[in-house]
Amino acid sequence: MNLATAIVSAIVVACVCLAVRSFRKKGMCGCKEHCSGGCSSCASCAAADRMVTDMDKAAKGPEAF
């Protein structure tokens, strides 16, 4: 392992640590950054919830619709 590889590895590890910290703090929903009312009032999160519901229905088959 040379110096350049060590530097790049350190940068990657630092980015992963920041991402994990952010994920643990915010969870899957990042609405706190762009929606004033939190995830319950966020149109983006509501759209994601509808998408998950539709995917669950599609997985169960056409009789679920």
Side-chain angles (χ1 to χ4, degrees):
M1 181 184 287
N2 59 19
L3 181 62
T5 304
I7 292 172
V8 170
S9 296
I11 291 171
V12 169
V13 168
C15 289
V16 168
C17 289
L18 289 173
V20 168
R21 187 182 85 174
S22 175
F23 178 71
R24 290 182 75 191
K25 182 179 178 182
K26 297 178 196 172
M28 291 295 289
C29 182
C31 294
K32 294 174 186 123
E33 296 173 350
H34 59 83
C35 291
S36 60
C39 293
S40 61
S41 68
C42 184
S44 298
C45 290
D49 288 340
R50 284 192 304 274
M51 180 182 68
V52 170
T53 302
D54 291 343
M55 288 172 51
D56 287 340
K57 288 180 183 177
K60 292 178 183 174
E63 64 276 357
F65 285 98

